[in-house]
Amino acid sequence: MRRLPTRTALAAALAAAGLTLVMSGCGADDDQASAATPTTSVTPTTGVTGSAQPTSGGAAAGSVDVVLRDVGGAVVGVVRLTPAAGAVRVEGRFHGLTPGGYHGFHIHQKPICDPKAPGGAFSTAGAHYNPGGTHHGEHAGDLPPLLVDKDGTAEIITQSDRFTLDDLRKGGVALIVHAEPDNLAHIPDRYQASGAPSPGPDEKTNATGDAGDRIACGVLAKS
Ligand SMILES: [Cu+2]
């Protein structure tokens, strides 16, 4: 799995050369890191390593890591949730997923991941986290789908202001990866399911985005 740049190491190298790393608040990818402009400022490197950038050293202050496992119990990903000015930053890294393609990725309403649940793997996590009672695409727990590379890895960095970390901790939730892409209930009116009362998304699509089986699940416990 590709590693994200280690700001600490980069900053340390620049500091040793008498330089300071200047990065934007959103700078977390390789391009931005390699394009960072060294300056001759004598400002110490304080702040460069104070971001929510995941490192191997554990969760940053205020953040929480959710470990996702597949139906066989193998770890396939870690998602770090970090409070960020009225929103939550979501940073996930996955491996061992079906190579190539999109997978629905949501927050579900119950902190229970049972791969052997009678109702289907991880059905114990319930429906999407949806305190507003809206349709899919507008659910608070809807996140952008994962795009999985040919080697089965995926990375996602996104942000949502539809919930706070405290909201999620109130009752606990589960993060789930699905087997199929998520249509976000975007079904134009020229489509109509057989037997559906009207064109556009039917009831199931409005609830699930037709993302299919649940292939990985991780709990954010109530706290
Ligand atoms: Cu889901």
Side-chain angles (χ1 to χ4, degrees), residues 106 108 128 176 178:
H106 316 122
H108 285 242
H128 296 175
I176 285 185
H178 290 264

Short mmCIF file of all heavy atoms in Angstrom, two decimals, residues 106 108 128 176 178, ligand 1:
data_model
loop_
_atom_site.label_atom_id
_atom_site.label_comp_id
_atom_site.label_asym_id
_atom_site.label_seq_id
_atom_site.Cartn_x
_atom_site.Cartn_y
_atom_site.Cartn_z
N HIS A 106 -20.29 4.00 3.97
CA HIS A 106 -21.24 4.77 4.78
C HIS A 106 -20.98 4.60 6.27
O HIS A 106 -20.39 3.61 6.70
CB HIS A 106 -22.69 4.29 4.55
CG HIS A 106 -23.07 4.05 3.13
ND1 HIS A 106 -23.52 2.84 2.68
CD2 HIS A 106 -23.04 4.88 2.06
CE1 HIS A 106 -23.78 2.93 1.38
NE2 HIS A 106 -23.48 4.15 0.97
N HIS A 108 -23.11 3.65 9.43
CA HIS A 108 -24.39 3.03 9.77
C HIS A 108 -24.70 3.26 11.25
O HIS A 108 -23.82 3.60 12.03
CB HIS A 108 -24.36 1.54 9.43
CG HIS A 108 -24.46 1.27 7.96
ND1 HIS A 108 -25.51 0.56 7.40
CD2 HIS A 108 -23.66 1.62 6.92
CE1 HIS A 108 -25.33 0.48 6.08
NE2 HIS A 108 -24.22 1.12 5.76
N HIS A 128 -28.38 3.24 7.35
CA HIS A 128 -27.44 4.37 7.35
C HIS A 128 -27.71 5.30 8.54
O HIS A 128 -28.86 5.49 8.94
CB HIS A 128 -27.58 5.19 6.06
CG HIS A 128 -27.21 4.42 4.83
ND1 HIS A 128 -27.37 4.92 3.57
CD2 HIS A 128 -26.69 3.18 4.68
CE1 HIS A 128 -26.95 4.03 2.67
NE2 HIS A 128 -26.55 2.96 3.33
N ILE A 176 -19.05 1.09 7.24
CA ILE A 176 -19.24 -0.10 6.40
C ILE A 176 -18.79 0.17 4.96
O ILE A 176 -19.08 1.23 4.40
CB ILE A 176 -20.71 -0.56 6.43
CG1 ILE A 176 -20.97 -1.25 7.78
CG2 ILE A 176 -21.05 -1.48 5.26
CD1 ILE A 176 -22.33 -1.86 7.92
N HIS A 178 -19.24 -1.51 1.16
CA HIS A 178 -20.15 -2.40 0.45
C HIS A 178 -19.47 -3.06 -0.75
O HIS A 178 -18.42 -2.62 -1.21
CB HIS A 178 -21.38 -1.62 -0.03
CG HIS A 178 -22.28 -1.21 1.09
ND1 HIS A 178 -23.38 -1.92 1.47
CD2 HIS A 178 -22.22 -0.15 1.93
CE1 HIS A 178 -23.98 -1.33 2.49
NE2 HIS A 178 -23.30 -0.23 2.79
CU CU B 1 -23.85 1.28 3.85
#
